[in-house]
Amino acid sequence: MHPMLNIAVRAARSAGRILLRYLEHTDGIAVTDKRRNDFVSEIDRSAEEAIIRELRSKYPDHAILAEESGERQGSDFQWVIDPLDGTTNYLHGFPQFSVSIALKYRNRLEQAVVYDPLREELFTASRGQGAQLNDRRLRVTDRPSLEGALIGTGFPFRNHSLLDTYLGMFKVVLQNTAGIRRPGSAALDIAYVAAGRLDGFWELGLAQWDIAAGALLVSEAGGMVSDLAGGDRYLKTGNVIAGNLKVHQAMVAKLRPFLSDSLRA
């Protein structure tokens, strides 16, 4: 395992232990609103602090972009951190949440960890070295089309102005596939594409820390990740499509009629 990936795994496990420690006591957790339908708890902050502490112990000069504490400048290396992807699930005791950590070097994704502490599932990837779930090599599905495909998604809960567009997309995807799933942790959903549990995934209005680690997992598992227009701006736009090559192409084609100028950008 690459040394930087190894420290990211240690950091993710440290955060995971905090999440599990308080999972049965969520009714006593202090929660505040960041914005509409978007919450942060003291557990998010504690988990993020644990991750940053672990990373800083080995790489004190690296830059950091974290969901709760924001951006800290540093070297050409930047850690992109979501300490609890699926906060709403976690606070309701719904068992689908994860820790997501990615490392970029000069804006190129190099290392990735998505950790599900409930299932003890550790998804990892290093650029050029493939993707793994625990000790098993990952590969996206070989499904040749949308027919029979299982697709993951997430509702645009932060920006309801996208809802009508999204519902149009939802209808088209539902009519052309075996089904759609919305578990509530985008990082884990994208990791499931890499693991072949989902054939594809799309969502609008995500943050960089929701996407970064999963994107490298999918690409290292032989899949494709793009923005809605099929380009490479998904980390900037927050609009993403992921899947094996044929499913990805089919989803880009099916969703293209719904793209406004802002969604194409």
Side-chain angles (χ1 to χ4, degrees):
M1 185 178 289
H2 191 285
M4 291 183 179
L5 182 59
N6 188 52
I7 195 67
V9 167
R10 284 171 50 186
R13 289 193 183 279
S14 294
R17 285 192 291 271
I18 292 172
L19 301 183
L20 293 181
R21 187 183 310 148
Y22 294 98
L23 183 59
E24 300 300 322
H25 309 284
T26 55
D27 54 342
I29 294 173
V31 179
T32 56
D33 293 353
K34 289 192 288 188
R35 47 193 175 272
R36 180 184 175 88
N37 293 333
D38 199 1
F39 307 101
V40 60
S41 73
E42 58 187 309
I43 305 305
D44 296 70
R45 295 189 178 99
S46 294
E48 184 170 290
E49 288 169 5
I51 292 169
I52 292 173
R53 188 162 54 245
E54 196 78 56
L55 298 177
R56 288 287 198 196
S57 70
K58 294 293 184 183
Y59 306 109
D61 62 329
H62 285 192
I64 288 176
L65 176 62
E67 179 173 12
E68 309 309 339
S69 59
E71 189 168 7
R72 308 182 193 187
Q73 299 300 318
S75 70
D76 288 337
F77 289 96
Q78 184 188 51
W79 294 97
V80 183
I81 301 165
D82 191 342
L84 174 52
D85 186 55
T87 299
T88 301
N89 282 353
Y90 181 86
L91 293 174
H92 285 79
F94 190 90
Q96 189 80 356
F97 53 85
S98 62
V99 180
S100 177
I101 304 174
L103 177 66
K104 295 194 298 182
Y105 177 67
R106 294 182 176 175
N107 289 317
R108 189 175 80 163
L109 291 167
E110 297 289 339
Q111 309 293 337
V113 174
V114 175
Y115 178 49
D116 178 349
L118 274 176
R119 298 174 181 83
E120 266 296 310
E121 290 192 329
L122 183 72
F123 301 84
T124 58
S126 294
R127 175 170 292 278
Q129 301 299 313
Q132 292 79 34
L133 168 52
N134 297 336
D135 296 323
R136 177 172 64 87
R137 186 71 176 261
L138 295 183
R139 197 73 188 167
V140 295
T141 66
D142 59 0
R143 189 168 298 280
S145 69
L146 286 177
E147 184 177 355
L150 184 63
I151 305 297
T153 191
F155 304 127
F157 63 93
R158 296 186 184 113
N159 185 356
H160 284 182
S161 68
L162 296 173
L163 189 56
D164 287 342
T165 298
Y166 172 80
L167 290 175
M169 293 177 173
F170 189 97
K171 182 178 180 179
V172 165
V173 174
L174 185 63
Q175 290 173 333
N176 286 274
T177 62
I180 297 175
R181 299 292 181 267
R182 200 281 181 184
S185 170
L188 208 50
D189 294 344
I190 301 173
Y192 280 13
V193 175
R197 296 174 178 174
L198 293 170
D199 297 294
F201 174 85
W202 97 99
E203 190 165 347
L204 312 180
L206 289 170
Q208 188 172 160
W209 45 76
D210 299 319
I211 305 171
L216 185 61
L217 286 166
V218 170
S219 62
E220 287 296 321
M224 175 70 84
V225 184
S226 76
D227 55 37
L228 298 181
D232 61 1
R233 290 173 47 80
Y234 54 91
L235 289 180
K236 294 182 179 179
T237 66
N239 305 320
V240 63
I241 298 175
N244 74 40
L245 298 183
K246 292 181 179 178
V247 168
H248 175 271
Q249 286 179 329
M251 290 183 69
V252 169
K254 289 292 184 184
L255 300 183
R256 185 174 293 124
F258 298 95
L259 302 191
S260 62
D261 289 343
S262 62
L263 289 176
R264 291 179 189 278

